[in-house]
Amino acid sequence: MHSSWVGKGSRWWKFDFHTHTPASRDYKAPDITPEEWLQAARDAQLDAVVITDHNSGEWVDRLKQANERMQQEGARPLVLFPGVEITVGESSNRVHLLAMFDPTCDGNKITAVLGGCGIYSNFGDSEGTSTTTGFVDTVARIKEAGGIAILAHIDQEKGVLHATTTLNPETKKTLENDHILAAEFYDLEAFDRDGVNPELRKVVARLARVQGSDAHRSDIIGERYSWLKMSRLNLEGVRIALLDHRYCVRNQQADPNSVPDIFVRGLTIQQMQHCGRDPNRPCHLELHPHLNTLIGGRGTGKSTMIESMRIAARRDAELKALGGKLSDQLEQFMKRSSQKGVMIEKKTEIFLEIQKRNKRYRLRWMESGSGNELEEWDGSNWQPSEAGNLLERFPLSIYSQKQIYELALNPKGILAIIDRAPEIEYGTWKEEWTRVERRFLELRSRMRELNGQLVKEGELRTKLKDLENDIRDYEEKGYGEVLKNYQRRTRQLNSLPKESIWDDLAGNIRGLTENAALPDFPEHLFEPDDPFMREIWTIHQQGTGALRQIAGELERLASQVEQARNDWKKTVADSEWNQAVQASRSVYETLVREYQEKGHATALDDYGKWTQQRQTLQQEFNRMESIIKEIHKAEKDAQATLARLLELRAELLNRRNRFLEDTIGQNKYVRMELVPFGDVSSVEEIYREYLDLGDKFTSSVYSRDEEQGILYSLIHWEDKNVSPETLLQKIQQVKSDTLAVSADTAFGYHKTFVNRLKDLAGKKPEVFDRMDVWWPEDLLRVRYCRDLKKPDKFEILEKGSAGQRAAAILAFLLSHGTDPMIIDQPEEDLDNALITDLVVEQMHQNKNRRQLIVVTHNPNIVVNADAELIHVMKSRAGQVIIAASDGMDDKSILTEISTILEGGREALEKRYRRLTLE
């Protein structure tokens, strides 16, 4: 939260309710000028000051005139409320009472009120005069004059409750006076501490607590102050704020004016069939950063505003994904007028202005489909901006009552909402999941490819055995020893490391030297007078030198490898073993020549071929051994990726659970819990889709009536009281049974089903890989509190009425998030008790951290949730218009509330007690 708001609607204003001027005889600096006094108030960053001299209004007009001059000269706005601190002659005691009047009043108003209370002389003296009227009558005079009575420094000397510890009838009557709206406190907690009379505490609690500096010199003006929330600074706004002090009065040091990091500033509609049709006068809805409410009768365009925001924010796909009537209605809305929609061909444009961290953007939607989707305000004009992913950059949550009801019927849709929360980091999680899943499928595909290369292993094994028998027989006929020795030495020779190993190593080392260098120093990025260029150039040269030295070391190392190769070759060539090899070869070649001379060349030729074939076959077997090792490794890696996928599911579950704990926690109306892999509502659909089974094989796949099928036990895990801890085991059993059927090693299934899976395993084995990385979604269990008076009793959502279900979902939606939330008629299906106890309370909590835009017919949401900005929607001549937009302290808005909203006046009277509409 940051910044303050200067647009339409309510905001917080800084008030000093008790100040004095030289008109008070005990003022400490009688020579101060009105301008100096006013500047002191401005220096204290006050928005409003109540002028309350002792029994005098002498300085009111002076200050008002000086203030007007200063503001004309450019001084910061400051509103002056004429007032007076009256000394009331009550019995034997004298108490002080503050009276404040509208800024339009002058000093004559103060003099008249004082005269009505019996004060005609000693103006400005707090001790030398007092009213001839009692406390109750004095308050009545203030009320009759249109003012507000406030108990002055209630806990200090001359205060009504100074040194009071018990509540006598007279004091009780004073405090319960309906015309007393507030009291000034020096110690805000004076009557809240342990030991305070409970009845006294209760009576005091009804009063708004405000603070004033009671400044008798200018340097302490604004030393104590209160913040009041209203749309404009007038007495009626103060009156309403004091009446609703729970939400509209704050006594704190920090400025409560702040806005969320992201909020919608406004919506503009141009050239829509029934809205903004005049090209010179588009329909513009200005929005407040906190709670906005749209009210109006049927057909006044409230839903037009919501759907236009949805379209401009590119959130229409979310509604279309739900299908049904909601999607159909939106599609009809988006059609051209010639197709009974509301869009005008190539003319309709919707602009949604959004502020994000002090930057202003405008999302633009055009019926023509051309033009910039996003624009950015440069301080004077809108400029095209790179759109990127609008859904991620400008998150908005938009819900109609029907959407809420759909979520209540199918709570698993809430998981998608949960996963949109930044805390979940779902996008990052999904990327990792996809990467690991892809790796698993690649490994399984590679394993099938490698297994295909092992098909000829048996045939090769037979050939090798026959060859070895032939060779053994040949060797045993007289020249076996020579040939055996030759064969042994040749194998030994072939088993020695190849010379290429040394050459490759030397080459690889030399290859490293090519990378042992830094790129050229980027001189073009430094100005000639850049003070840091020499420093970074020196660092670059040091790095270059270090890498050059390393490159030299690598070259020396490569030369050492080549020397080692030469030494090795020479050592082998000079070895006695090599002499034995050469000798065996010489004897063998002599034997070959002898056999050729004797006519036995064929036999000796065959023997050479046999040994060569055996060597080739052996090499092939060695290659197959490496394939088998690779298969084992791939299998091990595949199992590891499966385990990683389960870990990722557990991580997602933990994130979701933490989110629910942080957001729902001990919510008095709704509780939520997750069961890992428990949502089996779409198991059969997914199973059939993966295996391309259509709607066939019912008894083998799933038959509810016959209570059988490969999926029956899993789908009915809750009915069968299966422990959630064993769900994963049941899922794995389904996968194992499916593989067994495809391999024709399972029993109890129809032959057609077995043949179908066997055929699939032969033609599309990757289908079974896909099944291995599939698990059902986590099951979200939602419980609601049937009776808020019994907060510990929660029941499953399915047992609740439509209203109770909607309330539970609404409680969740309002429990978290900081992005703007737009809700269309959340009160549908809810009784007033739920609206007041649940919706209104959570809206109060929500609007402090996020923007809310609510279309409603219920006055409790508008009034009791204390909307900062109320928009009155009407239809004139077939066109939607914003008839009025203001805060609740505007009388015309209050009139509209009581006129448009059913039960509006009742809600107003309940909130403001005696407040009536004139």
Side-chain angles (χ1 to χ4, degrees):
M1 306 287 281
H2 56 84
S3 186
S4 61
W5 180 244
V6 293
K8 280 186 180 179
S10 298
R11 56 155 293 181
W12 291 96
W13 307 87
K14 189 177 181 181
F15 270 77
D16 186 337
F17 277 91
H18 191 165
T19 63
H20 292 270
T21 75
S24 295
R25 294 187 183 179
D26 55 355
Y27 196 73
K28 308 301 182 185
D31 295 331
I32 191 172
T33 67
E35 287 78 9
E36 290 170 338
W37 192 95
L38 291 165
Q39 188 57 48
R42 285 188 166 88
D43 291 343
Q45 299 300 307
L46 292 169
D47 296 306
V49 181
V50 187
I51 307 164
T52 54
D53 282 311
H54 293 299
N55 305 308
S56 174
E58 178 186 348
W59 260 55
V60 167
D61 293 339
R62 294 188 195 180
L63 288 173
K64 289 183 67 175
Q65 291 165 8
N67 192 46
E68 185 175 350
R69 287 195 302 272
M70 292 176 75
Q71 290 185 166
Q72 287 175 351
E73 294 170 0
R76 188 175 67 82
L78 176 68
V79 176
L80 303 179
F81 284 82
V84 62
E85 183 174 13
I86 303 174
T87 304
V88 182
E90 181 76 359
S91 300
S92 59
N93 298 320
R94 288 187 174 187
V95 295
H96 288 187
L97 180 66
L98 299 177
M100 66 181 295
F101 299 90
D102 194 79
T104 58
C105 296
D106 56 17
N108 293 329
K109 168 73 76 172
I110 307 302
T111 303
V113 170
L114 290 172
C117 298
I119 297 177
Y120 302 102
S121 61
N122 289 327
F123 297 117
D125 190 348
S126 66
E127 300 296 332
T129 187
S130 67
T131 64
T132 58
T133 54
F135 186 87
V136 173
D137 288 339
T138 303
V139 170
R141 297 285 190 279
I142 296 170
K143 172 66 177 175
E144 289 167 4
I148 295 174
I150 299 173
L151 299 174
H153 38 70
I154 189 174
D155 53 335
Q156 299 293 308
E157 188 176 355
K158 303 299 182 181
V160 170
L161 294 182
H162 179 238
T164 299
T165 58
T166 59
L167 189 66
N168 59 49
E170 185 177 352
T171 303
K172 183 176 182 183
K173 183 179 179 181
T174 297
L175 295 175
E176 290 183 342
N177 188 319
D178 283 342
H179 298 324
I180 299 292
L181 304 182
E184 177 195 15
F185 283 75
Y186 269 61
D187 180 357
L188 292 166
E189 300 177 355
F191 300 99
D192 294 335
R193 297 186 177 89
D194 294 340
V196 174
N197 181 287
E199 191 175 3
L200 178 59
R201 178 188 291 133
K202 182 178 179 181
V203 173
V204 170
R206 65 169 284 275
L207 298 171
R209 301 185 188 193
V210 299
Q211 290 189 297
S213 61
D214 196 3
H216 283 69
R217 62 177 195 267
S218 63
D219 62 322
I220 61 172
I221 292 178
E223 193 173 79
R224 283 189 295 275
Y225 52 86
S226 294
W227 297 91
L228 267 64
K229 189 172 75 170
M230 62 191 77
S231 59
R232 57 180 58 83
L233 284 168
N234 58 32
L235 196 70
E236 188 63 16
V238 173
R239 188 192 311 277
I240 291 177
L242 295 178
L243 282 165
D244 196 26
H245 57 86
R246 179 184 175 191
Y247 298 117
C248 296
V249 178
R250 291 186 185 178
N251 292 290
Q252 62 186 54
Q253 294 292 315
D255 185 345
N257 287 300
S258 61
V259 299
D261 284 342
I262 181 171
F263 63 93
V264 181
R265 291 180 63 101
L267 172 73
T268 302
I269 300 173
Q270 291 184 170
Q271 292 283 295
M272 193 178 281
Q273 183 68 19
H274 61 273
C275 186
R277 188 66 183 269
D278 185 343
N280 298 315
R281 296 185 63 188
C283 179
H284 180 70
L285 179 70
E286 181 178 339
L287 294 165
H288 194 279
H290 297 295
L291 176 57
N292 301 261
T293 55
L294 278 66
I295 64 173
R298 292 189 178 278
T300 55
K302 301 184 301 299
S303 294
T304 295
M305 300 295 113
I306 300 301
E307 297 312 319
S308 295
M309 291 184 204
R310 190 193 303 275
I311 292 167
R314 275 60 176 183
R315 298 279 164 184
D316 49 301
E318 296 173 358
L319 199 58
K320 291 176 181 177
L322 295 175
K325 291 184 178 180
L326 294 176
S327 176
D328 294 342
Q329 290 170 359
L330 180 62
E331 286 192 9
Q332 185 61 44
F333 180 83
M334 296 179 69
K335 287 182 178 179
R336 296 171 177 172
S337 55
S338 60
Q339 301 168 312
K340 297 183 179 181
V342 301
M343 306 300 176
I344 299 177
E345 184 176 359
K346 296 183 179 179
K347 290 186 178 181
T348 302
E349 293 190 42
I350 304 172
F351 299 90
L352 191 67
E353 184 179 344
I354 295 178
Q355 181 163 317
K356 184 176 182 182
R357 299 187 188 92
N358 289 326
K359 283 191 174 183
R360 291 170 60 184
Y361 299 91
R362 191 167 72 168
L363 278 67
R364 184 181 182 191
W365 182 89
M366 293 142 289
E367 196 283 333
S368 63
S370 61
N372 301 308
E373 290 186 324
L374 183 68
E375 297 170 322
E376 186 173 347
W377 183 252
D378 66 1
S380 56
N381 294 292
W382 290 106
Q383 300 295 340
S385 180
E386 187 67 34
N389 189 324
L390 295 177
L391 294 177
E392 291 183 2
R393 291 186 67 188
F394 305 102
L396 273 73
S397 298
I398 307 178
Y399 300 104
S400 67
Q401 184 275 334
K402 292 178 181 177
Q403 278 179 277
I404 293 171
Y405 183 69
E406 288 292 332
L407 288 172
L409 291 177
N410 186 14
K412 71 177 183 179
I414 296 174
L415 278 182
I417 298 172
I418 292 173
D419 290 342
R420 287 206 297 267
E423 302 94 315
I424 303 297
E425 296 184 83
Y426 185 79
T428 302
W429 179 90
K430 185 63 177 177
E431 287 178 6
E432 176 66 4
W433 174 275
T434 303
R435 185 190 68 78
V436 177
E437 181 185 58
R438 187 187 303 115
R439 175 61 178 157
F440 173 83
L441 297 176
E442 289 171 351
L443 287 167
R444 280 291 178 83
S445 176
R446 177 61 177 162
M447 286 168 62
R448 282 192 294 275
E449 179 186 338
L450 292 171
N451 277 314
Q453 297 179 28
L454 293 178
V455 172
K456 297 181 179 180
E457 182 189 14
E459 181 182 342
L460 289 174
R461 190 179 299 278
T462 300
K463 284 185 177 180
L464 181 60
K465 185 177 181 180
D466 292 342
L467 273 174
E468 287 180 339
N469 288 335
D470 288 341
I471 290 171
R472 186 181 308 108
D473 181 64
Y474 190 73
E475 290 173 345
E476 289 175 352
K477 288 184 176 178
Y479 26 75
E481 284 301 322
V482 172
L483 297 178
K484 191 182 296 182
N485 187 44
Y486 170 73
Q487 177 186 24
R488 183 172 67 254
R489 298 303 181 197
T490 301
R491 286 177 181 173
Q492 290 173 352
L493 180 64
N494 292 335
S495 69
L496 289 181
K498 301 296 185 287
E499 186 176 337
S500 61
I501 293 175
W502 303 91
D503 294 336
D504 290 346
L505 179 57
N508 289 338
I509 293 172
R510 284 201 171 88
L512 291 175
T513 62
E514 297 176 4
N515 297 322
L518 293 178
D520 292 340
F521 181 73
E523 292 186 23
H524 63 286
L525 296 179
F526 290 85
E527 298 295 335
D529 58 348
D530 192 318
F532 300 110
M533 177 177 177
R534 178 166 297 278
E535 178 188 27
I536 196 65
W537 183 85
T538 302
I539 294 171
H540 184 275
Q541 290 300 107
Q542 290 172 349
T544 300
L547 287 179
R548 190 178 295 119
Q549 184 176 357
I550 291 170
E553 293 295 331
L554 289 172
E555 179 59 35
R556 284 191 291 275
L557 187 59
S559 298
Q560 290 176 9
V561 171
E562 291 174 340
Q563 183 60 47
R565 175 200 61 194
N566 296 334
D567 293 345
W568 177 81
K569 285 176 61 178
K570 185 176 185 306
T571 303
V572 169
D574 294 343
S575 66
E576 294 182 1
W577 169 83
N578 189 48
Q579 294 176 12
V581 169
Q582 299 306 321
S584 66
R585 178 177 296 170
S586 176
V587 172
Y588 171 74
E589 290 173 352
T590 300
L591 185 62
V592 168
R593 286 194 297 272
E594 288 178 2
Y595 272 86
Q596 288 174 342
E597 293 172 359
K598 294 179 181 180
H600 294 293
T602 301
L604 207 53
D605 246 5
D606 287 342
Y607 182 79
K609 291 177 183 178
W610 293 340
T611 55
Q612 186 175 2
Q613 287 175 6
R614 181 172 66 178
Q615 183 177 354
T616 301
L617 288 175
Q618 190 62 54
Q619 289 174 348
E620 186 66 14
F621 263 111
N622 290 340
R623 190 181 69 83
M624 288 191 174
E625 284 295 324
S626 67
I627 291 174
I628 292 171
K629 288 180 181 178
E630 188 177 348
I631 291 172
H632 290 331
K633 185 179 184 305
E635 177 62 28
K636 185 178 179 181
D637 290 346
Q639 292 302 318
T641 55
L642 273 181
R644 176 58 184 151
L645 288 172
L646 285 172
E647 287 177 4
L648 284 170
R649 281 295 298 267
E651 289 175 13
L652 181 61
L653 176 70
N654 290 335
R655 292 181 194 178
R656 288 169 168 174
N657 277 329
R658 284 196 300 271
F659 174 80
L660 289 176
E661 178 62 29
D662 292 342
T663 56
I664 298 295
Q666 298 302 307
N667 188 291
K668 64 182 180 181
Y669 193 77
V670 65
R671 299 289 166 82
M672 294 182 177
E673 62 177 350
L674 286 165
V675 179
F677 314 111
D679 183 5
V680 293
S681 58
S682 57
V683 161
E684 182 184 5
E685 178 186 351
I686 293 172
Y687 187 85
R688 289 182 174 280
E689 180 183 345
Y690 273 156
L691 300 179
D692 195 20
L693 300 178
D695 58 357
K696 300 177 181 179
F697 315 110
T698 301
S699 60
S700 294
V701 176
Y702 171 69
S703 172
R704 184 185 183 90
D705 296 335
E706 298 174 9
E707 298 187 0
Q708 68 180 34
I710 202 167
L711 300 176
Y712 184 83
S713 178
L714 174 60
I715 291 175
H716 290 277
W717 72 269
E718 286 188 279
D719 302 339
K720 302 299 182 182
N721 296 318
V722 173
S723 168
E725 288 74 22
T726 63
L727 262 177
L728 185 58
Q729 182 179 340
K730 279 202 165 293
I731 297 165
Q732 295 302 115
Q733 187 62 51
V734 166
K735 296 178 181 180
S736 298
D737 290 348
T738 302
L739 280 175
V741 171
S742 69
D744 200 7
T745 58
F747 301 97
Y749 297 97
H750 286 177
K751 190 64 177 176
T752 52
F753 180 60
V754 174
N755 290 338
R756 177 72 183 89
L757 294 197
K758 283 176 63 178
D759 183 60
L760 191 65
K763 294 179 179 178
K764 295 182 178 179
E766 64 276 6
V767 166
F768 298 92
D769 300 338
R770 280 282 174 191
M771 283 199 65
D772 276 339
V773 293
W774 165 83
W775 290 274
E777 182 55 274
D778 297 335
L779 174 66
L780 181 69
R781 281 178 172 161
V782 183
R783 299 181 184 274
Y784 76 100
C785 182
R786 191 180 186 87
D787 186 352
L788 290 173
K789 295 178 182 178
K790 299 176 181 177
D792 296 329
K793 189 175 181 180
F794 284 80
E795 297 187 11
I796 61 174
L797 188 65
E798 287 78 2
K799 293 183 178 181
S801 66
Q804 288 164 331
R805 290 184 180 192
I809 301 305
L810 195 55
F812 164 71
L813 295 177
L814 288 170
S815 67
H816 72 282
T818 57
D819 56 307
M821 178 177 280
I822 303 165
I823 312 176
D824 190 359
Q825 301 180 50
E827 72 274 6
E828 293 292 320
D829 299 322
L830 305 185
D831 58 35
N832 274 333
L834 279 176
I835 292 171
T836 301
D837 294 340
L838 175 68
V839 179
V840 168
E841 186 64 31
Q842 290 207 254
M843 282 186 177
H844 269 294
Q845 297 171 12
N846 256 247
K847 68 179 184 174
N848 290 326
R849 69 171 188 269
R850 74 178 334 161
Q851 182 184 47
L852 294 174
I853 303 168
V854 183
V855 169
T856 182
H857 294 120
N858 192 291
N860 288 299
I861 292 177
V862 180
V863 177
N864 293 324
D866 189 36
E868 275 76 13
L869 187 55
I870 300 161
H871 308 277
V872 180
M873 308 287 299
K874 292 189 178 180
S875 178
R876 291 179 186 165
Q879 286 291 294
V880 170
I881 63 166
I882 316 296
S885 292
D886 217 320
M888 240 176 311
D889 49 329
D890 182 80
K891 287 189 176 182
S892 64
I893 292 292
L894 293 174
T895 301
E896 295 285 5
I897 292 173
S898 64
T899 302
I900 294 173
L901 301 182
E902 183 178 349
R905 189 178 187 88
E906 179 184 346
L908 288 167
E909 290 176 347
K910 182 177 180 182
R911 179 181 180 194
Y912 300 130
R913 304 194 300 274
R914 296 174 298 100
L915 186 64
T916 57
L917 300 175
E918 299 178 2

